[in-house]
Amino acid sequence: MECRDVRERLAERALGTLERDAARWIDRHVGWCAACRREAEELAEGAAAIPLAVGGPAPPPALEGRVVRAVSRAAGRSSRGRRVAVVAAAIAGVVAATSIAWALSVQDRIGVLERAAGRAEREAALSTAEWARLFGFFADPALSATLVPVGRGTGGGRAVVYDSQKGADSAVVIVGGLPAGGRYHAAIVTPSGNVALGRLSPTSPGSLAVSRIFRDDLAGAEAVVVRDARGRDVLRGRLGRFRA
Amino acid sequence: MTDPAGPLTPAAEQELMRRLAAGDERAIRTLYARFARPVFGMGLRMLGGPDAAEELTQDVFVAAWRKAGRYDPARGRLSTWLMAIAHNLAVDRLRRRGAPVPTATLEELAATPVSEEDDLIDRDVVRRVLGGLSMGERRLLVMSYYGGLTCREIAEEEGIPIGTVKTRMRTVLIKLRRTYAKEA
């Protein structure tokens, strides 16, 4: 598009009366042509002078509050979305990193897995450095639980629940040592009922994990349970203040 | 008329927009205080009623927040940028409704209050800014700016060549820019 053709249409562009396609061509041209851009800006100032000079009556007083709320709502939704994306990426990274470490520890172990809570705690402690790195992102405190076998079961793990005051709530569960081939689901126990975390998926041999970002509030989370396909608790842990 | 506290420097405008992009409530209120009146007035004149004008005003400030990250003071004043957003939104709505050719004069549009209790607009400034325009130029402004008509539509409506319409449009805008710059 030649400058002459563009300049012929800059006044229409400033007055907002150009067809959409033509307006896009003009905008692309002025994006790189300094001379046409200068003229476009001058004509746009002329167009803006119309409502600025003519002015108008004061809007109703209540409109200001509505506008502030509308913009704040839009900004809040966008901020939450960005935070969710950051949390999701961080969790995915930690799950991948810690599952590998976890799997190695399980594979290295010789003999039958012990049921003692202390052993489960030691297994979980392999991932604490990664947990600390993950939750260094966040200003609000997180809760964690060491998952120990229920009854005569095997295995163990760690759960972290992040109850954010401003953004998305999230939770991660990593376990190992459960009988192979089984299907396991994790849930968060709250006063108002269980909140499903989802099915644990293998991340590496012997290691299972699940993570989830929640739109709902996880305030009051008390414990985390891992259940088998028949709904029986196989691992359980009470949530307390996160310890790295 | 626009900036109750006086014009902002380009750096101040950029800082205001940075805060707006972050959703800062004070930035929203500052922007509102400066520009709600002309935006609301534009809505009244173009869309015909206070409800539509209020809806337009709200949508304009939300759009301003959405685009705040793209505002570049090197490319023009904040007032120009915001009025362009407002006008584009208003024209879109006007076209969707298929509004008829406006018949009011610019002075009639400028004089339209909503109620007797409304603040008076600065009629001297309006007279000076519009005073340098011929009747034909004012009519052109009403049809294009407030009516959203294209050059072709204006040319057909007025029975004049499209080239003449384009040239007059350019002349009008340059005059307005010069006159308003002196007043602001």
Coordinates of all heavy atoms in Angstrom, one line a residue, chain B residues 115-180:
Chain B
S115 N -30.4 16.3 32.2 CA -31.4 16.9 33.0 C -31.0 18.3 33.4 O -29.9 18.7 33.2 CB -31.6 16.0 34.3 OG -30.4 16.2 35.1
E116 N -31.9 19.0 34.0 CA -31.6 20.4 34.4 C -30.5 20.5 35.4 O -29.9 21.5 35.5 CB -32.9 21.0 34.9 CG -33.9 21.3 33.7 CD -35.1 22.0 34.2 OE1 -35.2 22.3 35.4 OE2 -36.1 22.1 33.5
E117 N -30.4 19.4 36.2 CA -29.4 19.5 37.3 C -28.0 19.2 36.8 O -27.0 19.4 37.5 CB -29.7 18.5 38.4 CG -30.9 18.8 39.2 CD -32.2 18.5 38.5 OE1 -32.2 17.5 37.8 OE2 -33.2 19.2 38.7
D118 N -27.8 18.8 35.5 CA -26.5 18.5 35.0 C -25.6 19.7 35.0 O -26.0 20.9 34.8 CB -26.6 18.0 33.6 CG -27.2 16.6 33.5 OD1 -27.0 15.9 34.5 OD2 -27.8 16.3 32.5
D119 N -24.3 19.5 35.2 CA -23.3 20.6 35.1 C -23.3 21.1 33.7 O -23.5 20.4 32.8 CB -21.9 20.0 35.4 CG -21.8 19.5 36.8 OD1 -22.6 19.9 37.7 OD2 -20.9 18.7 37.1
L120 N -23.2 22.4 33.7 CA -23.1 23.0 32.3 C -21.8 22.7 31.7 O -20.7 22.7 32.4 CB -23.2 24.5 32.5 CG -24.6 25.1 33.0 CD1 -24.5 26.6 33.2 CD2 -25.6 24.7 32.0
I121 N -21.8 22.4 30.4 CA -20.5 22.2 29.7 C -20.0 23.6 29.5 O -20.7 24.6 29.5 CB -20.7 21.5 28.4 CG1 -21.7 22.1 27.5 CG2 -21.1 20.0 28.7 CD1 -21.8 21.5 26.2
D122 N -18.7 23.7 29.2 CA -18.0 25.0 29.0 C -18.4 25.4 27.6 O -17.7 25.1 26.6 CB -16.5 24.8 29.2 CG -15.8 26.1 29.2 OD1 -16.4 27.1 28.6 OD2 -14.7 26.2 29.7
R123 N -19.5 26.2 27.5 CA -20.0 26.5 26.1 C -19.0 27.4 25.4 O -19.0 27.4 24.2 CB -21.3 27.1 26.2 CG -22.3 26.2 26.9 CD -23.8 26.6 26.7 NE -24.6 25.7 27.5 CZ -25.0 24.5 27.2 NH1 -24.6 24.0 26.1 NH2 -25.7 23.8 28.0
D124 N -18.2 28.2 26.1 CA -17.3 29.1 25.4 C -16.2 28.3 24.7 O -15.8 28.6 23.6 CB -16.6 30.0 26.4 CG -17.5 31.1 26.8 OD1 -18.5 31.4 26.1 OD2 -17.2 31.8 27.9
V125 N -15.7 27.2 25.4 CA -14.7 26.4 24.7 C -15.3 25.7 23.5 O -14.7 25.6 22.5 CB -14.1 25.3 25.7 CG1 -13.2 24.3 25.0 CG2 -13.4 26.0 26.9
V126 N -16.5 25.2 23.7 CA -17.1 24.5 22.5 C -17.3 25.5 21.4 O -17.0 25.2 20.2 CB -18.5 23.9 22.9 CG1 -19.2 23.4 21.7 CG2 -18.3 22.9 24.0
R127 N -17.7 26.7 21.7 CA -17.9 27.7 20.6 C -16.6 28.0 19.9 O -16.5 28.1 18.7 CB -18.4 29.0 21.2 CG -19.9 29.2 21.0 CD -20.3 30.7 21.2 NE -20.1 31.1 22.6 CZ -21.0 30.8 23.5 NH1 -22.1 30.2 23.3 NH2 -20.8 31.2 24.8
R128 N -15.5 28.1 20.7 CA -14.2 28.4 20.1 C -13.7 27.2 19.2 O -13.2 27.4 18.1 CB -13.1 28.8 21.2 CG -13.3 30.2 21.7 CD -12.1 30.6 22.5 NE -11.9 29.8 23.7 CZ -12.5 30.2 24.9 NH1 -13.3 31.2 24.9 NH2 -12.3 29.5 26.0
V129 N -13.9 26.0 19.8 CA -13.4 24.9 19.0 C -14.2 24.6 17.8 O -13.6 24.4 16.7 CB -13.4 23.6 19.9 CG1 -13.1 22.3 19.1 CG2 -12.4 23.7 21.1
L130 N -15.5 24.8 17.9 CA -16.3 24.5 16.7 C -16.5 25.8 15.8 O -16.8 25.7 14.6 CB -17.7 24.1 17.1 CG -17.8 22.8 18.0 CD1 -19.3 22.5 18.3 CD2 -17.2 21.7 17.3
G131 N -16.1 26.9 16.4 CA -16.3 28.2 15.7 C -15.6 28.3 14.4 O -16.0 29.0 13.5
G132 N -14.5 27.6 14.3 CA -13.7 27.7 13.1 C -14.2 26.8 12.0 O -13.6 26.8 10.9
L133 N -15.2 26.1 12.2 CA -15.7 25.2 11.2 C -16.9 25.8 10.4 O -17.7 26.4 11.0 CB -16.2 23.8 11.8 CG -15.1 23.1 12.7 CD1 -15.8 21.8 13.3 CD2 -13.9 22.7 11.9
S134 N -16.9 25.5 9.1 CA -18.1 25.9 8.4 C -19.3 25.0 8.7 O -19.1 24.0 9.3 CB -17.8 25.8 6.9 OG -17.6 24.5 6.5
M135 N -20.5 25.4 8.2 CA -21.7 24.6 8.4 C -21.5 23.2 7.8 O -21.9 22.2 8.4 CB -22.9 25.3 7.8 CG -23.4 26.5 8.5 SD -23.9 26.1 10.2 CE -25.2 25.0 9.9
G136 N -20.9 23.2 6.6 CA -20.7 21.9 5.9 C -19.8 21.0 6.7 O -20.0 19.8 6.8
E137 N -18.8 21.6 7.3 CA -17.8 20.8 8.0 C -18.4 20.3 9.3 O -18.1 19.2 9.7 CB -16.5 21.7 8.3 CG -15.7 22.0 7.1 CD -14.6 23.0 7.4 OE1 -14.7 23.8 8.3 OE2 -13.6 23.0 6.6
R138 N -19.2 21.1 9.9 CA -19.9 20.7 11.2 C -20.8 19.5 10.9 O -20.9 18.5 11.6 CB -20.7 21.8 11.8 CG -19.8 22.9 12.4 CD -20.6 24.0 13.0 NE -19.8 25.2 13.0 CZ -20.2 26.3 13.6 NH1 -21.4 26.3 14.2 NH2 -19.5 27.4 13.5
R139 N -21.5 19.6 9.8 CA -22.5 18.6 9.4 C -21.7 17.3 9.1 O -22.1 16.2 9.5 CB -23.2 19.1 8.1 CG -24.1 18.0 7.5 CD -25.6 18.3 7.6 NE -26.3 17.2 6.9 CZ -27.0 16.3 7.6 NH1 -27.0 16.3 8.9 NH2 -27.6 15.3 7.0
L140 N -20.6 17.5 8.4 CA -19.7 16.3 8.1 C -19.3 15.6 9.4 O -19.3 14.4 9.5 CB -18.5 16.8 7.4 CG -17.5 15.7 6.9 CD1 -18.1 14.8 5.9 CD2 -16.2 16.4 6.4
L141 N -18.9 16.4 10.4 CA -18.5 15.8 11.7 C -19.6 15.1 12.4 O -19.4 14.0 12.9 CB -18.1 17.0 12.7 CG -16.6 17.3 12.8 CD1 -16.5 18.2 14.0 CD2 -15.8 16.0 13.0
V142 N -20.8 15.6 12.3 CA -21.9 15.0 13.0 C -22.2 13.6 12.3 O -22.4 12.6 12.9 CB -23.2 15.9 12.9 CG1 -24.5 15.1 13.3 CG2 -23.1 17.1 13.8
M143 N -22.2 13.7 10.9 CA -22.5 12.4 10.2 C -21.4 11.4 10.4 O -21.7 10.2 10.5 CB -22.7 12.8 8.7 CG -23.9 13.7 8.4 SD -24.0 14.1 6.7 CE -24.8 12.6 6.1
S144 N -20.2 11.8 10.4 CA -19.1 10.8 10.4 C -18.8 10.4 11.9 O -18.9 9.2 12.3 CB -17.8 11.3 9.8 OG -17.4 12.5 10.4
Y145 N -18.5 11.4 12.7 CA -18.1 11.0 14.1 C -19.3 10.5 14.9 O -19.1 9.5 15.6 CB -17.4 12.3 14.8 CG -16.7 11.8 16.0 CD1 -15.4 11.3 16.0 CD2 -17.3 11.9 17.3 CE1 -14.7 10.9 17.1 CE2 -16.6 11.5 18.4 CZ -15.4 11.0 18.3 OH -14.7 10.6 19.4
Y146 N -20.4 11.2 14.9 CA -21.5 10.8 15.8 C -22.4 9.9 15.1 O -23.1 9.1 15.7 CB -22.3 12.0 16.3 CG -21.5 12.8 17.3 CD1 -20.9 14.0 17.1 CD2 -21.4 12.2 18.6 CE1 -20.2 14.7 18.1 CE2 -20.7 12.9 19.6 CZ -20.1 14.1 19.3 OH -19.4 14.8 20.3
G147 N -22.4 9.9 13.7 CA -23.3 9.0 13.0 C -22.7 7.7 12.5 O -23.4 6.8 12.1
G148 N -21.3 7.7 12.5 CA -20.6 6.5 12.1 C -20.7 6.2 10.6 O -20.5 5.1 10.2
L149 N -21.1 7.2 9.8 CA -21.3 7.0 8.4 C -19.9 7.0 7.7 O -19.0 7.8 8.1 CB -22.2 8.1 7.8 CG -23.6 8.2 8.3 CD1 -24.4 9.3 7.6 CD2 -24.3 6.9 8.1
T150 N -19.8 6.2 6.7 CA -18.5 6.1 5.9 C -18.5 7.3 4.9 O -19.6 7.9 4.7 CB -18.4 4.8 5.1 OG1 -19.5 4.8 4.2 CG2 -18.5 3.6 6.1
C151 N -17.3 7.5 4.3 CA -17.2 8.6 3.3 C -18.2 8.3 2.2 O -18.9 9.3 1.7 CB -15.8 8.6 2.7 SG -14.7 9.6 3.7
R152 N -18.3 7.1 1.8 CA -19.2 6.8 0.7 C -20.6 7.1 1.0 O -21.4 7.7 0.2 CB -19.0 5.3 0.3 CG -19.8 4.8 -0.9 CD -19.3 3.4 -1.3 NE -17.9 3.4 -1.6 CZ -17.3 3.8 -2.7 NH1 -18.0 4.3 -3.7 NH2 -16.0 3.7 -2.9
E153 N -21.0 6.7 2.2 CA -22.4 7.0 2.7 C -22.7 8.5 2.7 O -23.8 8.9 2.4 CB -22.7 6.3 4.0 CG -22.8 4.8 3.9 CD -22.7 4.1 5.3 OE1 -22.1 4.7 6.3 OE2 -23.1 3.0 5.4
I154 N -21.7 9.2 3.3 CA -21.9 10.7 3.4 C -22.0 11.3 2.0 O -22.8 12.1 1.7 CB -20.7 11.3 4.2 CG1 -20.8 10.8 5.6 CG2 -20.8 12.8 4.1 CD1 -19.6 11.2 6.4
A155 N -21.1 10.8 1.1 CA -21.1 11.4 -0.3 C -22.4 11.1 -1.0 O -23.0 12.0 -1.6 CB -20.0 10.7 -1.1
E156 N -23.0 9.9 -0.8 CA -24.3 9.6 -1.4 C -25.4 10.4 -0.7 O -26.3 11.0 -1.4 CB -24.6 8.1 -1.2 CG -23.8 7.2 -2.1 CD -23.9 5.7 -1.7 OE1 -24.7 5.4 -0.8 OE2 -23.2 4.9 -2.3
E157 N -25.4 10.6 0.6 CA -26.4 11.3 1.3 C -26.4 12.8 0.9 O -27.5 13.4 0.7 CB -26.2 11.1 2.8 CG -27.2 11.8 3.7 CD -28.6 11.2 3.6 OE1 -28.7 10.0 3.3 OE2 -29.5 12.0 3.9
E158 N -25.2 13.3 0.8 CA -25.1 14.8 0.6 C -25.0 15.1 -0.9 O -25.1 16.3 -1.3 CB -23.9 15.3 1.3 CG -23.9 15.1 2.8 CD -24.9 16.0 3.5 OE1 -24.6 17.1 3.7 OE2 -26.0 15.4 3.8
G159 N -24.8 14.1 -1.7 CA -24.7 14.3 -3.2 C -23.5 15.1 -3.6 O -23.5 15.9 -4.5
I160 N -22.4 14.7 -2.9 CA -21.1 15.4 -3.3 C -20.1 14.3 -3.5 O -20.2 13.1 -3.1 CB -20.6 16.3 -2.1 CG1 -20.5 15.5 -0.8 CG2 -21.5 17.5 -2.0 CD1 -20.0 16.4 0.3
P161 N -19.0 14.6 -4.3 CA -18.0 13.5 -4.6 C -17.3 13.0 -3.4 O -17.1 13.7 -2.4 CB -17.0 14.3 -5.5 CG -17.7 15.5 -6.0 CD -18.7 15.9 -4.9
I162 N -17.0 11.7 -3.4 CA -16.3 11.1 -2.2 C -15.0 11.7 -1.9 O -14.6 11.9 -0.8 CB -16.2 9.6 -2.5 CG1 -15.8 8.9 -1.2 CG2 -15.3 9.2 -3.6 CD1 -15.9 7.4 -1.2
G163 N -14.3 12.1 -3.0 CA -13.0 12.8 -2.8 C -13.1 14.1 -2.0 O -12.3 14.4 -1.1
T164 N -14.2 14.8 -2.3 CA -14.5 16.1 -1.5 C -14.7 15.8 0.0 O -14.2 16.5 0.8 CB -15.7 16.8 -2.1 OG1 -15.5 17.0 -3.5 CG2 -16.0 18.1 -1.4
V165 N -15.5 14.7 0.2 CA -15.7 14.3 1.6 C -14.4 14.0 2.3 O -14.2 14.5 3.4 CB -16.7 13.1 1.6 CG1 -16.9 12.6 3.1 CG2 -18.0 13.4 1.0
K166 N -13.6 13.3 1.7 CA -12.3 12.9 2.3 C -11.4 14.1 2.6 O -10.8 14.2 3.7 CB -11.5 11.9 1.4 CG -12.2 10.5 1.3 CD -11.3 9.6 0.5 CE -12.0 8.3 0.3 NZ -11.2 7.3 -0.5
T167 N -11.4 15.0 1.6 CA -10.5 16.2 1.8 C -11.1 17.0 3.0 O -10.3 17.5 3.8 CB -10.5 17.0 0.5 OG1 -10.0 16.2 -0.5 CG2 -9.5 18.2 0.7
R168 N -12.4 17.2 3.0 CA -13.0 18.0 4.1 C -12.8 17.4 5.4 O -12.5 18.1 6.4 CB -14.5 18.2 3.8 CG -14.8 19.2 2.7 CD -16.3 19.4 2.6 NE -16.6 20.2 1.5 CZ -17.9 20.3 1.0 NH1 -18.9 19.8 1.6 NH2 -18.1 21.1 -0.1
M169 N -12.9 16.1 5.5 CA -12.7 15.4 6.7 C -11.3 15.7 7.3 O -11.1 16.0 8.5 CB -12.8 13.8 6.5 CG -14.1 13.3 6.8 SD -14.0 11.5 6.6 CE -15.7 11.1 6.9
R170 N -10.3 15.6 6.4 CA -8.9 15.8 6.9 C -8.8 17.2 7.4 O -8.2 17.5 8.4 CB -8.0 15.5 5.7 CG -6.5 15.7 6.1 CD -5.6 15.3 4.9 NE -4.2 15.5 5.3 CZ -3.6 16.7 5.3 NH1 -4.3 17.8 4.8 NH2 -2.4 16.8 5.7
T171 N -9.3 18.2 6.6 CA -9.2 19.6 7.0 C -9.9 19.8 8.4 O -9.3 20.5 9.2 CB -9.9 20.5 5.9 OG1 -9.4 20.2 4.7 CG2 -9.8 22.0 6.3
V172 N -11.0 19.3 8.6 CA -11.8 19.4 9.8 C -10.9 18.9 11.0 O -10.8 19.6 12.0 CB -13.1 18.7 9.8 CG1 -13.7 18.5 11.2 CG2 -14.1 19.4 8.9
L173 N -10.4 17.8 10.8 CA -9.6 17.2 11.9 C -8.4 18.0 12.3 O -8.0 18.2 13.4 CB -9.2 15.7 11.6 CG -10.4 14.8 11.5 CD1 -9.9 13.3 11.2 CD2 -11.2 14.7 12.8
I174 N -7.7 18.5 11.2 CA -6.5 19.3 11.5 C -6.9 20.6 12.2 O -6.3 21.0 13.2 CB -5.8 19.6 10.2 CG1 -5.2 18.3 9.6 CG2 -4.7 20.7 10.4 CD1 -4.6 18.4 8.3
K175 N -8.0 21.2 11.8 CA -8.5 22.4 12.5 C -8.8 22.2 13.9 O -8.4 22.9 14.8 CB -9.8 22.9 11.8 CG -9.6 23.8 10.6 CD -10.9 24.3 10.1 CE -10.8 25.0 8.8 NZ -12.1 25.5 8.3
L176 N -9.5 21.1 14.2 CA -9.9 20.7 15.5 C -8.7 20.5 16.4 O -8.6 20.9 17.5 CB -10.8 19.5 15.5 CG -12.2 19.7 15.1 CD1 -12.9 18.3 14.9 CD2 -13.0 20.5 16.1
R177 N -7.7 19.8 15.9 CA -6.5 19.5 16.6 C -5.8 20.8 17.0 O -5.5 20.9 18.2 CB -5.6 18.6 15.8 CG -4.3 18.3 16.6 CD -3.4 17.5 15.7 NE -2.1 17.3 16.4 CZ -1.1 18.1 16.2 NH1 -1.1 19.0 15.2 NH2 0.1 18.0 16.9
R178 N -5.7 21.7 16.1 CA -5.0 22.9 16.4 C -5.7 23.8 17.4 O -5.2 24.3 18.4 CB -4.8 23.7 15.1 CG -3.7 23.2 14.2 CD -3.4 24.1 13.1 NE -2.6 23.4 12.2 CZ -2.6 23.4 10.9 NH1 -3.5 24.3 10.3 NH2 -1.8 22.7 10.1
T179 N -7.0 23.9 17.2 CA -7.8 24.7 18.1 C -7.9 24.1 19.5 O -7.7 24.8 20.5 CB -9.3 24.9 17.6 OG1 -9.2 25.1 16.2 CG2 -10.0 26.1 18.3
Y180 N -8.1 22.8 19.6 CA -8.3 22.2 20.9 C -6.9 22.2 21.7 O -6.9 22.4 22.9 CB -8.8 20.8 20.8 CG -9.1 20.2 22.1 CD1 -10.2 20.7 22.9 CD2 -8.3 19.2 22.7 CE1 -10.4 20.2 24.1 CE2 -8.5 18.7 24.0 CZ -9.6 19.2 24.7 OH -9.9 18.7 25.9

